[in-house]
Amino acid sequence: MKKRLIQVFFKAPVEGKVKTRLIPKVGLSNSVAIHTRLCEQVIQCIAGYAGQNEDVAVQFWVDLDVDHSFVQENAARYGADVFQQQGGDLGERMQFAMTSGLRVANQVVIVGGDCLSLCERYLAQAFEMLESKELVFGPADDGGYILIGSHGLEEGFFNNVQWGESTVLASSIDCARQSGKSYGLLEERWDIDTWEDIQRNAPQLLEGLEL
């Protein structure tokens, strides 16, 4: 059994279903291209970390089309197992994935596919923190988080979290406190959701696109 597991949460690049907040600015096809570039870079980062650490496995937890060529080709390239996300909201989906992951690993870290600011050092810090804490969060600058790791979450752990709001991290920390779990926070990072996010943090995502 691998000691550590990274689960990448992302949507298959289906037109009209990904990066929808970008569509008014960049159009349908460009929103897919940007989403694909984000996922590629995050997956490459995670695969690079796993390649240097024999006790780390990688899983893709995919929303929409798990059979999409982008999903399957990257899974084959990096030796990742692919699963369909299960659950009504993000909390249920993460809880289901983490519970499943802990059947094959001692520690599970979930990372979002649009976390362009992710790096291998950040992943290492998350696993190091799990040696002394039951939960770890990687805060995002919009009030959410780009990463969560744990040894296990009880059913209904995320029930009081309002997903998509700026209170996601604070609410999740409250959930940890109420369940008596120790937790640690990594340094704040950013992800890409809006046109302003791209302009501020990652204008290179627009290179070569016809806008």
Side-chain angles (χ1 to χ4, degrees), residues 52 89 115 124 144 168:
Q52 298 176 46
D89 63 17
C115 310
V168 166

Side-chain angles (χ1 to χ4, degrees), residues 17-55:
K17 300 290 187 180
V18 296
K19 292 299 164 201
T20 54
R21 282 188 274 179
L22 294 177
I23 292 172
K25 276 285 188 182
V26 303
L28 283 169
S29 61
N30 283 333
S31 66
V32 174
I34 291 168
H35 174 79
T36 301
R37 290 177 179 184
L38 284 168
C39 291
E40 284 176 340
Q41 293 193 46
V42 170
I43 290 168
Q44 287 171 10
C45 170
I46 290 168
Y49 178 76
Q52 298 176 46
N53 295 273
E54 292 183 355
D55 64 337

Side-chain angles (χ1 to χ4, degrees), residues 119-156:
C119 65
E120 293 182 25
R121 181 178 63 85
Y122 203 75
L123 292 167
Q125 289 172 339
F127 283 116
E128 287 168 10
M129 195 167 281
L130 285 176
E131 296 296 330
S132 59
K133 303 290 185 181
E134 294 172 282
L135 271 165
V136 58
F137 296 100
D141 62 4
D142 60 3
Y145 41 88
I146 69 166
L147 175 155
I148 180 173
S150 182
H151 309 290
L153 298 173
E154 295 82 2
E155 186 175 349

Side-chain angles (χ1 to χ4, degrees), residues 80-151:
D81 295 321
V82 179
F83 301 91
Q84 180 83 53
Q85 292 182 21
Q86 303 283 336
D89 63 17
L90 181 57
E92 291 179 4
R93 293 173 181 223
M94 291 196 300
Q95 189 170 315
F96 182 91
M98 189 168 282
T99 300
S100 173
L102 287 166
R103 298 191 187 108
V104 297
N106 298 323
Q107 299 173 346
V108 175
V109 164
I110 297 175
V111 178
D114 57 358
C115 310
L116 195 62
S117 58
L118 185 73
C119 65
E120 293 182 25
R121 181 178 63 85
Y122 203 75
L123 292 167
Q125 289 172 339
F127 283 116
E128 287 168 10
M129 195 167 281
L130 285 176
E131 296 296 330
S132 59
K133 303 290 185 181
E134 294 172 282
L135 271 165
V136 58
F137 296 100
D141 62 4
D142 60 3
Y145 41 88
I146 69 166
L147 175 155
I148 180 173
S150 182
H151 309 290

